[in-house]
Amino acid sequence: MLLCRRTLTKSNWVSSARSLGLRHYGVPPAVAASDPRLDKTVQVTASKGVNIIHDPLLSKGTAFSLAERERLSIRGLVPPRCQEMDKQLLRVKRNLDDCRTPLAKFVFLSALQDRNETLFYRLLINHLEELAGIIYTPTVGLACLRSHSIYRRSRGMYFSTQDRGAMSAMVYNWPHDEVDVIVVTDGSRVLGLGDLGANGMQIPIGKLSLYVAAGGIRPRAVLPVVLDVGTNNESLLNDPLYLGMGHPRIEGEDYYSFVDEWVTAVKSRWPNALIQFEDFKYPHAYNLLNKYRNKVTCFNDDIQSTSSITLAGILAGLKARGRKQEDLNQERIICVGAGSAGVGVCEGIIDCMVAQGRVRSRDEAYSRIWMMDQHGLLGNPALSAEESDQTVARKGERTQLDERQQCYVKADLPDRLTLEEVVERVKPTAILGLTGIRGVFSEKAIRTMAKYEEKPIVFPLSNPDTHAECTAEEAFSWTDGRAIFASGSPFADVTLPNGRIGRTNQCNNSYSFPGLGLGITVSRANEVTPTMFLETARVIADMASPAQLKEGTLFPGVANLRDVALAVGTRVCEVAYEEGVATAKLKEGEMLSEVVKNSMFQPEYVPLVHHSYY
Ligand SMILES: NC(=O)C1=CN([C@@H]2O[C@H](COP(=O)(O)OP(=O)(O)OC[C@H]3O[C@@H](n4cnc5c(N)ncnc54)[C@H](O)[C@@H]3O)[C@@H](O)[C@H]2O)C=CC1
Ligand SMILES: CC(=O)C(=O)O
Ligand SMILES: [Mg+2]
């Protein structure tokens, strides 16, 4: 990867490719090479004619020059006027703006991505704030729900229960040798929308679009994957248009051996690729992470990169209150939601308290967090029996807490207290929502919190926006405009009754995973370490200026995700070298920040050259 932006001649490409261990299967890759005749970086490809026009990685639509049309045998196959990217951008933006609904915009952008990725990414980068809400949360949630109805064209790879025994061969059906990042889901918990089976494919596609647009990973080096192990979603199973396997989810050993076959297959073809596990339900998410974290380069987005950005939000929130980041151990945090994201986020907070050295033990750090699930507080059942509270009886059975959740059980409080009861007793300074359930933050709970804390941190983090634990308006209204607010999906700023603006922030792992992937890819880290997530949080927490913090802005806006990814990527890369997990060799005198910056993909048309050798 360190070599990939270097200008390569054809001959040194081959030797570099060999030294990088790259091999060719099927259709060989187009590569960047320097062509002495053009004295400019060119892309050499074995494709020709109409295949070029229909290849989204190579197509330029109307922007092929006359010489190129001649060279590539496409003369006459596109309209005569050569129109450069600026005009194309005008056209696509106008057409996009004509789409009436967010879902129509999503379909339009998918179609653009399928015909011309360079133009798609230029448009996306130019309008990141506006379009992230379409290709990513919240609209991607709607697209997942409707995926089987709006299906147009395949993107990514599906591995289903009918593919057992064939996966090692199937991976060679993918047309690219170079894969840097794979985002894989089994669709079992898509955002807060539950089990959406194979419809979950839109999530890896959306995440990887941000990997490219923000993290600068090359479009040809990303691979979205769905592991279709069935679905328990009855309405999908009964829908004749559903495109996934029509049986209930496989579970237990059957499930884990299926995933294992996939991991083995992927690593056999792309040993250096980073695997991001995405939207796997609890406890599969943790079980898979623990099984593979020391064997392959991987992380779980919902557990780990969510923890980075949420920790960053809390640390920045402390500064917004005029406190120091090291005061984290003084916080009293309620985390509503004890699943992958809730437990993952809290582990990140605990790691940070321990790293800051302001708690005597990990147990002391646990004592600063009160965790709740759908049955209420994780507390002491013996005490709830004494209180004989009616609400306790109402809440149904709770399955056995596992060892990760057990750490948060509060021996001094009755089990299953309601949120309002916990808030009254704990007087929290911060509340995090990771439940996937709209309205879990009640007015009473937030108003009570605001009685005790001047600037309460209120983070309804569930996605999409329709599943947020409260809205921005609610949070500001219930705290008399004093909340420090961040949500998983975007909410508009709120005009408060006194004319002041209640600033909203988006606290989403889209701030952390692109930079993590960039740093891991550039360093070719063979392990993703806990320090990388902690440092990601530190980098992001320090990005807002004092003036921004004062008015409640915690992070740079989504429009700046590329800058965030560069800063995070550089630090993650440094950590990889510091911790000895980087395998890419640095050249003498090379500045890491420059290497990372120069490795980032820029959506620009480069001259295309046909060469049958490739
Ligand atoms: N902002 C971000 O970057 C991210 C947000 N999330 C969001 O977090 C949510 C949860 O994700 P996971 O933890 O993976 O799901 P999960 O299914 O593993 O966990 C959900 C948890 O919420 C609890 N819960 C459900 N209803 C509740 C209620 N009424 N009151 C209190 N607790 C309740 C469940 O008992 C469970 O512990 C999703 O909506 C997802 O979109 C997840 C990852 C990143
Ligand atoms: C953002 C994300 O990863 C989620 O909601 O699952
Ligand atoms: Mg997710």
Side-chain angles (χ1 to χ4, degrees):
M1 181 68 194
L2 282 172
L3 289 167
C4 77
R5 297 288 302 182
R6 202 181 80 189
T7 303
L8 298 172
T9 62
K10 272 179 284 184
S11 58
N12 82 13
W13 151 254
V14 174
S15 63
S16 298
R18 279 202 195 107
S19 73
L20 286 170
L22 298 180
R23 290 172 294 164
H24 291 252
Y25 298 94
V27 183
V31 297
S34 144
D35 185 317
R37 287 161 303 172
L38 296 163
D39 194 25
K40 194 170 169 189
T41 300
V42 300
Q43 200 165 16
V44 185
T45 171
S47 281
K48 217 175 171 185
V50 80
N51 289 340
I52 296 262
I53 298 172
H54 291 160
D55 182 340
L57 289 168
L58 297 176
S59 185
K60 302 180 180 182
T62 55
F64 293 103
S65 70
L66 207 54
E68 219 166 21
R69 294 171 191 212
E70 192 62 52
R71 257 194 335 258
L72 302 171
S73 306
I74 56 171
R75 211 167 164 154
L77 299 182
V78 283
R81 184 179 297 198
C82 170
Q83 225 167 32
E84 290 294 341
M85 198 189 273
D86 55 341
K87 302 282 186 320
Q88 296 179 321
L89 284 168
L90 272 183
R91 183 184 301 112
V92 288
K93 185 63 170 68
R94 210 173 276 168
N95 288 336
L96 179 69
D97 291 344
D98 281 347
C99 296
R100 295 252 182 91
T101 63
L103 191 61
K105 287 179 198 275
F106 180 93
V107 171
F108 176 86
L109 287 172
S110 297
L112 176 59
Q113 187 173 19
D114 287 342
R115 21 174 229 280
N116 182 340
E117 296 213 22
T118 316
L119 187 60
F120 168 78
Y121 282 113
R122 177 45 62 204
L123 183 75
L124 186 51
I125 290 171
N126 287 2
H127 304 276
L128 200 47
E129 181 138 16
E130 176 190 345
L131 302 189
I134 305 291
I135 59 133
Y136 192 59
T137 186
T139 307
V140 73
L142 191 56
C144 286
L145 290 168
R146 307 266 180 86
S147 187
H148 56 298
S149 322
I150 60 172
Y151 180 83
R152 300 282 197 283
R153 183 179 163 156
S154 186
R155 174 170 284 270
M157 286 194 81
Y158 296 83
F159 295 83
S160 76
T161 44
Q162 67 193 358
D163 298 321
R164 271 183 284 209
M167 296 186 209
S168 295
M170 280 169 71
V171 287
Y172 290 98
N173 292 343
W174 187 248
H176 306 296
D177 282 340
E178 310 159 70
V179 168
D180 288 335
V181 184
I182 298 169
V183 177
V184 58
T185 186
D186 69 355
S188 52
R189 191 286 284 147
V190 175
L191 308 178
L193 303 169
D195 177 356
L196 296 184
N199 280 15
M201 178 55 108
Q202 303 302 337
I203 295 291
I205 292 174
K207 295 264 175 191
L208 285 164
S209 295
L210 290 181
Y211 261 109
V212 175
I217 305 294
R218 295 162 305 149
R220 69 173 57 248
V222 300
L223 172 56
V225 171
V226 157
L227 301 182
D228 186 350
V229 293
T231 178
N232 296 337
N233 183 324
E234 285 295 327
S235 89
L236 287 178
L237 287 173
N238 293 326
D239 191 324
L241 293 187
Y242 179 57
L243 292 160
M245 299 300 289
H247 59 73
R249 286 184 174 274
I250 57 169
E251 288 292 347
E253 185 39 40
D254 210 9
Y255 174 81
Y256 288 105
S257 68
F258 177 93
V259 180
D260 207 45
E261 181 183 342
W262 178 78
V263 172
T264 307
V266 157
K267 292 316 282 183
S268 70
R269 182 164 182 202
W270 301 291
N272 296 321
L274 166 68
I275 297 175
Q276 172 170 316
F277 291 103
E278 186 68 47
D279 288 6
F280 284 76
K281 71 175 181 181
Y282 198 87
H284 289 337
Y286 262 102
N287 292 344
L288 293 174
L289 178 62
N290 290 337
K291 182 167 180 182
Y292 294 112
R293 70 199 318 170
N294 295 323
K295 292 190 185 143
V296 298
T297 311
C298 70
F299 68 87
N300 180 296
D301 187 38
D302 304 293
I303 296 171
Q304 294 169 289
S305 46
T306 310
S307 87
S308 293
I309 186 59
T310 308
L311 176 60
I314 296 172
L315 294 177
L318 289 178
K319 291 202 286 182
R321 279 202 202 124
R323 306 285 300 267
K324 292 202 179 73
Q325 294 189 6
E326 289 70 30
D327 292 335
L328 182 62
N329 68 330
Q330 311 284 307
E331 289 297 290
R332 291 184 304 280
I333 301 168
I334 294 182
C335 178
V336 194
S340 316
V343 172
V345 160
C346 291
E347 279 177 6
I349 297 169
I350 303 281
D351 286 346
C352 184
M353 285 187 197
V354 171
Q356 288 177 340
R358 299 281 291 267
V359 285
R360 279 165 307 215
S361 64
R362 217 171 159 81
D363 279 346
E364 186 181 330
Y366 283 118
S367 76
R368 313 304 298 164
I369 297 178
W370 288 260
M371 188 171 276
M372 303 186 65
D373 67 7
Q374 67 200 88
H375 305 284
L377 180 74
L378 309 195
N380 184 344
L383 295 182
S384 30
E386 278 168 26
E387 291 207 356
S388 71
D389 185 345
Q390 284 302 304
T391 58
V392 173
R394 272 206 313 266
K395 289 176 196 154
E397 280 304 302
R398 174 189 271 153
T399 49
Q400 183 71 31
L401 297 176
D402 64 26
E403 57 189 7
R404 286 176 293 271
Q405 296 162 326
Q406 287 281 355
C407 299
Y408 298 92
V409 169
K410 294 287 169 288
D412 60 337
L413 286 175
D415 197 31
R416 300 173 173 225
L417 288 178
T418 63
L419 179 60
E420 292 74 18
E421 289 166 332
V422 179
V423 169
E424 192 55 74
R425 293 185 191 216
V426 168
K427 303 181 179 45
T429 53
I431 184 166
L432 314 175
L434 290 151
T435 61
I437 308 290
R438 166 82 187 103
V440 163
F441 291 177
S442 67
E443 176 170 355
K444 186 171 175 208
I446 302 297
R447 280 196 186 281
T448 307
M449 191 178 169
K451 255 190 346 197
Y452 301 114
E453 169 56 52
E454 175 61 23
K455 288 195 170 185
I457 290 176
V458 181
F459 285 5
L461 298 175
S462 289
N463 299 308
D465 52 351
T466 46
H467 288 242
E469 285 76 8
C470 71
T471 65
E473 286 224 17
E474 288 168 343
F476 285 115
S477 149
W478 298 338
T479 59
D480 307 320
R482 288 179 282 124
I484 297 174
F485 180 88
S487 51
S489 297
F491 277 95
D493 287 343
V494 175
T495 306
L496 306 173
N498 61 6
R500 239 189 55 200
I501 302 293
R503 294 287 174 207
T504 60
N505 300 275
Q506 190 174 352
C507 180
N508 191 294
N509 48 36
S510 54
Y511 275 86
S512 35
F513 68 75
L516 279 154
L518 175 63
I520 291 163
T521 304
V522 173
S523 62
R524 282 275 173 248
N526 56 19
E527 196 184 320
V528 187
T529 69
T531 319
M532 292 177 182
F533 296 100
L534 216 45
E535 287 301 296
T536 295
R538 289 212 176 106
V539 167
I540 302 175
D542 285 339
M543 292 188 101
S545 67
Q548 288 172 319
L549 289 169
K550 197 165 169 218
E551 59 169 21
T553 297
L554 305 176
F555 312 124
V558 171
N560 305 98
L561 278 186
R562 214 170 152 88
D563 298 333
V564 175
L566 175 57
V568 169
T570 304
R571 183 65 196 122
V572 167
C573 206
E574 283 167 3
V575 170
Y577 285 96
E578 286 161 13
E579 298 197 320
V581 296
T583 63
K585 298 273 173 282
L586 267 181
K587 285 206 227 95
E588 194 68 29
E590 248 178 347
M591 286 275 297
L592 211 47
S593 55
E594 285 302 303
V595 175
V596 175
K597 190 172 171 193
N598 293 337
S599 78
M600 289 176 80
F601 163 77
Q602 295 280 357
E604 285 158 3
Y605 292 138
V606 290
L608 289 174
V609 174
H610 167 76
H611 197 295
S612 53
Y613 172 80
Y614 286 99

